[in-house]
Amino acid sequence: MRIETKCVQSGYTPGNGEPRQIPIVQSTTFKYATSEAMGRLFDLEDSGYFYSRLQNPTCDAVAAKICDLEGGTAAMLTSSGQSANFYAVFNIAGNGDHVVSSASIYGGTYNLFAVTMKRMGVDFTFISPDCTDAELEAAFRPNTKAVFGETIANPALTVFDVERFANAAHAHGVPLIVDNTFATPINCRPFEWGADIVTHSTTKYMEGHGAAVGGAIVDAGRFDWIAHADKFPGLTTPDDSYHGVTYAEKFGLGGAFITKCTVQLMRDFGSTPSPQSAFMLNLGLESLHVRMERHCENALKVAQYLEQNDRIAWVNYPGLESSPYHARAQKYMPKGTCGVVSFGVKGGREAASKFMQNLKIAAIETHVADARTCCLHPASTTHRQMNDAELIAAGVSGDLVRLSCGLESAEDLIDDIAQALAQI
């Protein structure tokens, strides 16, 4: 099936007389006739469900759809995009390990890596996504366990060179993890360019209506953990906390990563997705291919308008020919990038604040990437934990406004921007 059909059909196929829509299995537990039958689930000998903290049929059906959309071999849902990124990294990097990350990433993810996971003993080196080959090579250490980047960075909108960073990661025997939230698999499939693990904040375009928080992790099923067994003992040696199972041996390349992430990290941290939220996510996925086209169309029209407006200091949108990332965007996302436009209002922070207060259609929200247009001043909100140097490294200037173009009329959005600028 083509990806448009997968959005609608994949993940769940009803049998004769069964519900056409994915059933919401709103249950914490599942009944078994014998202790032995349940025991086989605990031993990972049989597939099934015993407690929704680990797995739930509704959540698994939606995860299967996302897995199919990305072209992976296994996937899981989490309660948020933040937990998806945490699990994806912590599944293979622990106390005493090191990770190379693009510096141009979402502020919440930066804080997770630079502060919280540092307290857990995981060290991160942040490098520019446009670094030289020498700088990229110098970032690796003997204890490096992964490389991380965002397909389109939030909110800097830098485009990550997936193929280049995948090649560098593989040369050092580690996987590349890519957060594909902004592009979605409709516009970019990182596995096709060498990525090994993909994460999503499904809260954004995938769910698409600002109704349900969630995350997802997808494994390409290609990284050879056993070939680099010394780097990844959690996958290649027995797990004493789970009956001595060796994940890479029992579940192979296609299932080891997600199985370990589920039975070990979800078991212990419990960032459990709600079946109700998974159901709502699936409704969003059914129209993802249609919505992404409109989001991108609106964003390009708005960006082109802003580029010609003398009240705007600068405009950043990968779809613009003037963007330094236009060629890279054309390589990885020829059908479109995302619906988010970043720009600076002449006059700096104060002018940007007045502009946002005067908007009537676009709402000031921490959210981004849903059906309704919204805007944000990242330096004072999502990235406020960063100092000036860190903001610059992340591509977030003090005058930056992030505008997430929804599904409204592009002409109405432009009219709203025009009247708001006129009142500064």
Side-chain angles (χ1 to χ4, degrees):
M1 294 187 294
R2 291 169 176 80
I3 198 163
E4 296 86 354
T5 307
K6 290 180 179 181
C7 283
V8 181
Q9 296 284 349
S10 189
Y12 168 72
T13 302
N16 188 46
E18 293 182 346
R20 183 61 193 88
Q21 183 55 276
I22 292 177
I24 302 173
V25 182
Q26 194 65 48
S27 181
T28 61
T29 49
F30 301 83
K31 177 183 177 295
Y32 287 88
T34 66
S35 296
E36 288 74 19
M38 183 176 284
R40 290 185 61 80
L41 299 178
F42 277 90
D43 288 340
L44 303 180
E45 294 296 334
D46 288 345
S47 297
Y49 302 93
F50 53 84
Y51 197 50
S52 280
R53 189 177 76 233
L54 277 79
Q55 287 181 286
N56 174 281
T58 306
C59 299
D60 280 0
V62 182
K65 175 176 284 190
I66 295 173
C67 184
D68 198 17
L69 291 174
E70 285 288 6
T73 58
M76 64 186 290
L77 299 187
T78 62
S79 60
S80 68
Q82 193 79 327
S83 57
N85 282 334
F86 171 62
Y87 280 12
V89 174
F90 198 65
N91 202 34
I92 51 177
N95 185 25
D97 291 333
H98 171 256
V99 176
V100 176
S101 174
S102 169
S104 189
I105 55 176
Y106 168 59
T109 306
Y110 181 93
N111 196 71
L112 168 68
F113 291 168
V115 179
T116 302
M117 293 193 72
K118 184 176 181 179
R119 290 172 56 201
M120 301 172 77
V122 184
D123 195 18
F124 286 80
T125 295
F126 296 95
I127 59 172
S128 167
D130 304 315
C131 64
T132 65
D133 290 343
E135 290 170 335
L136 179 56
E137 182 65 24
F140 287 89
R141 303 176 187 173
N143 62 335
T144 299
K145 297 300 177 70
V147 178
F148 182 91
E150 293 180 5
T151 316
I152 304 174
N154 175 15
L157 302 182
T158 53
V159 177
F160 191 61
D161 195 340
V162 179
E163 189 172 33
R164 178 187 180 215
F165 278 81
N167 289 338
H170 297 159
H172 287 269
V174 300
L176 173 64
I177 303 170
V178 174
D179 185 328
N180 197 31
T181 296
F182 266 20
T184 80
I186 301 302
N187 288 339
C188 182
R189 307 216 313 168
F191 292 157
E192 296 176 357
W193 300 98
D196 301 289
I197 309 293
V198 160
T199 63
H200 285 277
S201 170
T202 62
T203 317
K204 310 304 189 297
Y205 288 119
M206 282 189 162
E207 192 276 322
H209 299 84
V213 175
I217 309 171
V218 187
D219 183 10
R222 291 194 303 251
F223 191 84
D224 194 342
W225 308 106
I226 294 176
H228 307 284
D230 57 324
K231 283 184 174 290
F232 306 104
L235 284 158
T236 59
T237 60
D239 179 3
D240 293 334
S241 75
Y242 223 101
H243 318 294
V245 65
T246 300
Y247 298 103
E249 292 179 359
K250 187 171 184 63
F251 301 100
L253 302 186
F257 186 90
I258 294 296
T259 301
K260 177 179 181 293
C261 208
T262 300
V263 304
Q264 193 181 81
L265 300 189
M266 191 65 85
R267 173 197 65 191
D268 294 345
F269 289 100
S271 298
T272 309
S274 154
Q276 179 73 47
S277 293
F279 177 85
M280 297 177 77
L281 168 58
N282 186 64
L283 292 180
L285 289 170
E286 289 179 353
S287 64
L288 181 63
H289 57 297
V290 180
R291 291 185 290 104
M292 285 307 296
E293 183 176 352
R294 181 59 175 264
H295 282 299
C296 294
E297 177 186 327
N298 280 358
L300 181 58
K301 288 179 179 179
V302 167
Q304 290 170 336
Y305 167 78
L306 291 168
E307 196 171 38
Q308 301 302 316
N309 192 301
D310 59 8
R311 293 177 181 266
I312 300 300
W314 54 269
V315 182
N316 181 17
Y317 183 65
L320 290 173
E321 292 184 7
S322 59
S323 169
Y325 296 101
H326 184 260
R328 193 178 294 171
Q330 288 295 300
K331 172 182 176 178
Y332 292 114
M333 293 159 271
K335 295 194 298 182
T337 54
C338 66
V340 180
V341 181
S342 293
F343 58 94
V345 180
K346 287 182 179 178
R349 287 184 182 231
E350 184 178 353
S353 178
K354 289 181 178 178
F355 162 75
M356 292 171 64
Q357 290 170 13
N358 290 328
L359 289 167
K360 295 179 179 179
I361 295 177
I364 299 175
E365 300 176 12
T366 56
H367 194 43
V368 67
D370 77 11
R372 291 163 295 275
T373 295
C374 55
C375 64
L376 192 72
H377 183 241
S380 61
T381 54
T382 55
H383 288 62
R384 68 181 299 121
Q385 75 276 7
M386 294 183 176
N387 60 39
D388 289 343
E390 291 169 338
L391 284 171
I392 293 171
V396 181
S397 59
D399 64 344
L400 185 152
V401 173
R402 183 187 71 185
L403 183 72
S404 174
C405 298
L407 303 178
E408 305 92 346
S409 159
E411 288 70 25
D412 286 343
L413 298 181
I414 290 170
D415 288 346
D416 191 28
I417 292 168
Q419 66 83 22
L421 288 173
Q423 296 185 60
I424 299 175

